[in-house]
Amino acid sequence: MKNILVTGGLGFIGSHTVVELFNQGYNPIIVDNLSNSTEEVLDRLEQITGVSFLYLKENLANYESIKKIFRDNKIDGIIHFAASKAVGESVEKPLLYYENNLVSLLNLLNLSGEFNVSNFIFSSSCTVYGQPDKLPVDESFPKLPAESPYGNTKQIGEEIIEDYCYSNREFKAISLRYFNPIGAHETALIGELPLGVPNNLVPFITQTAAGIREKLNVFGGDYDTPDGTCIRDFIHVVDLAKAHVAALEYVEEMPENYDVFNVGTGNGYSVLEAIKSFEKVSGINLNYEIVDRRPGDIEKIYADTKKVNGVLGWKAERDLDDMMKSAWKWQKSLQKN
């Protein structure tokens, strides 16, 4: 059984990927500093899988602590999620984002070289494309200037990995540029649970519906889109988690030692369409207000998925209503606890 180091493994996408790794016969080793997660997720993962996973509370910026993980465990591959990820916050605190997101990556790459770990999956983002000139975006599109420091850390992260792969032909890596993950596990035991006020749309939708938030702010109603609100390619988090497993299985055999893949549904939905979908599946009318645009937001983006469908053999299976149903089921489960 191969040991896969999952950084940020108690977070939203990381925890779902731990489950899918286990389902495919891997042994996930979880590293998380709990900056945007809780140890309760460990218990929930055990409820889903029946297994207690090795968990290490560490800050990836601490080189010596991370080195001990590599020294004490045979690592066969790495899926690197751990990063600060709120677009708006990154505009306000750029230095925090550059330090958190880039130092951790450099430490992992250095240690991968020292301990001969050659399979690396990087959690990248469609933000590397900036605001594309045409849609849908495919992997050949140029990386335009980032709209936020968060997006810039993903661009720089990809460049660092590609440069390292060029210098070390034994090292193999894939960057997954994914779009907007939402939803929750079918058990409603894990899902998106930001600490404090949510920065992402769907947790704010579900918390508004649950009465935790007074109203939902929709940032911008004057974009050049059919209804004036931003357009995004929403993808179910379980589909996204499965894409990481598919990438891990492909990385060992791929002909080159670096590649990138879009991970999305290929469909663009506006913020108002997402709200209407939630209202339909929940039967709740949301209290929302269109307010000024938010700095760093891209107007519209959705994926061309031909490459990931063809090369990795992966395809998103769940639609927007499925995503909203699972997100609402997750929120309701939290209200019961």
Side-chain angles (χ1 to χ4, degrees):
M1 183 179 291
K2 292 183 178 179
N3 295 327
I4 307 301
L5 187 68
V6 185
T7 73
L10 297 184
F12 176 39
I13 306 170
S15 60
H16 287 81
T17 301
V18 165
V19 172
E20 297 306 322
L21 285 167
F22 170 79
N23 288 343
Q24 294 302 313
Y26 293 95
N27 178 42
I29 297 173
I30 300 169
V31 179
D32 202 301
N33 69 354
L34 305 182
S35 61
N36 197 34
S37 57
T38 69
E39 284 193 31
E40 184 185 357
V41 176
L42 264 183
D43 297 329
R44 293 170 174 266
L45 289 172
E46 186 170 355
Q47 290 180 61
I48 293 170
T49 63
V51 171
S52 178
F53 297 108
L54 176 60
Y55 161 63
L56 302 157
K57 183 183 177 183
E58 297 290 355
N59 186 339
L60 291 173
N62 187 325
Y63 187 86
E64 290 304 319
S65 295
I66 305 308
K67 184 173 182 177
K68 187 176 186 303
I69 295 172
F70 281 77
R71 192 165 48 233
D72 293 348
N73 302 276
K74 182 182 182 300
I75 307 297
D76 298 297
I78 299 170
I79 302 181
H80 180 38
F81 294 107
S84 301
K85 62 183 181 66
V87 169
E89 183 185 53
S90 78
V91 175
E92 298 168 3
K93 302 175 181 178
L95 298 184
L96 172 69
Y97 273 67
Y98 287 117
E99 181 174 1
N100 283 357
N101 295 3
L102 298 180
V103 172
S104 61
L105 174 61
L106 291 169
N107 285 346
L108 286 172
L109 293 177
N110 276 313
L111 289 166
S112 294
E114 185 174 345
F115 288 88
N116 298 314
V117 180
S118 60
N119 302 315
F120 192 91
I121 310 300
F122 178 57
S123 167
S124 191
S125 167
C126 66
T127 57
V128 302
Y129 296 115
Q131 179 57 64
D133 295 330
K134 60 179 182 176
L135 294 169
V137 290
D138 69 36
E139 291 84 354
S140 69
F141 276 38
K143 290 186 281 188
L144 299 177
E147 299 285 326
S148 68
Y150 163 72
N152 202 26
T153 66
K154 292 302 182 182
Q155 288 189 352
I156 296 169
E158 283 196 12
E159 291 164 2
I160 290 170
I161 294 168
E162 187 171 11
D163 286 343
Y164 182 59
C165 285
Y166 183 79
S167 72
N168 180 0
R169 306 307 292 183
E170 300 302 313
F171 185 79
K172 292 193 170 188
I174 289 175
S175 292
L176 295 182
R177 296 173 177 168
Y178 40 84
F179 285 66
N180 288 73
I182 61 174
H185 195 263
E186 60 186 8
T187 61
L189 285 167
I190 53 174
E192 189 169 10
L193 184 61
L195 302 183
V197 179
N199 282 291
N200 294 336
L201 174 65
V202 173
F204 222 114
I205 285 177
T206 59
Q207 289 187 17
T208 302
I212 298 170
R213 308 292 165 193
E214 181 182 352
K215 69 177 179 181
L216 168 68
N217 287 330
V218 175
F219 295 106
D222 58 350
Y223 286 104
D224 182 20
T225 61
D227 62 21
T229 64
C230 291
I231 288 178
R232 295 290 182 268
D233 187 340
F234 296 104
I235 178 172
H236 197 290
V237 65
V238 173
D239 284 336
L240 178 56
K242 289 181 176 181
H244 286 81
V245 180
L248 188 66
E249 291 173 345
Y250 175 70
V251 71
E252 289 187 62
E253 307 300 330
M254 65 184 188
E256 301 297 328
N257 70 327
Y258 180 70
D259 211 342
V260 299
F261 294 90
N262 286 339
V263 187
T265 66
N267 300 307
Y269 295 100
S270 73
V271 172
L272 287 182
E273 285 179 305
I275 289 171
K276 297 305 178 186
S277 171
F278 178 82
E279 290 180 331
K280 180 175 74 172
V281 302
S282 68
I284 295 171
N285 290 322
L286 285 170
N287 179 26
Y288 67 89
E289 178 184 0
I290 295 176
V291 298
D292 291 340
R293 296 182 183 191
R294 181 172 59 178
D297 278 344
I298 291 168
E299 180 174 86
K300 50 191 171 186
I301 192 166
Y302 53 94
D304 183 318
T305 63
K306 288 193 290 291
K307 183 178 178 183
V308 71
N309 298 158
V311 177
L312 296 190
W314 170 93
K315 188 173 184 179
E317 298 175 351
R318 297 157 181 82
D319 63 20
L320 186 60
D321 287 352
D322 294 329
M323 301 177 210
M324 291 298 179
K325 283 178 190 174
S326 64
W328 183 227
K329 184 180 177 182
W330 161 244
Q331 182 64 57
K332 289 189 291 185
S333 77
L334 294 173
Q335 303 300 105
K336 296 175 184 175
N337 295 333

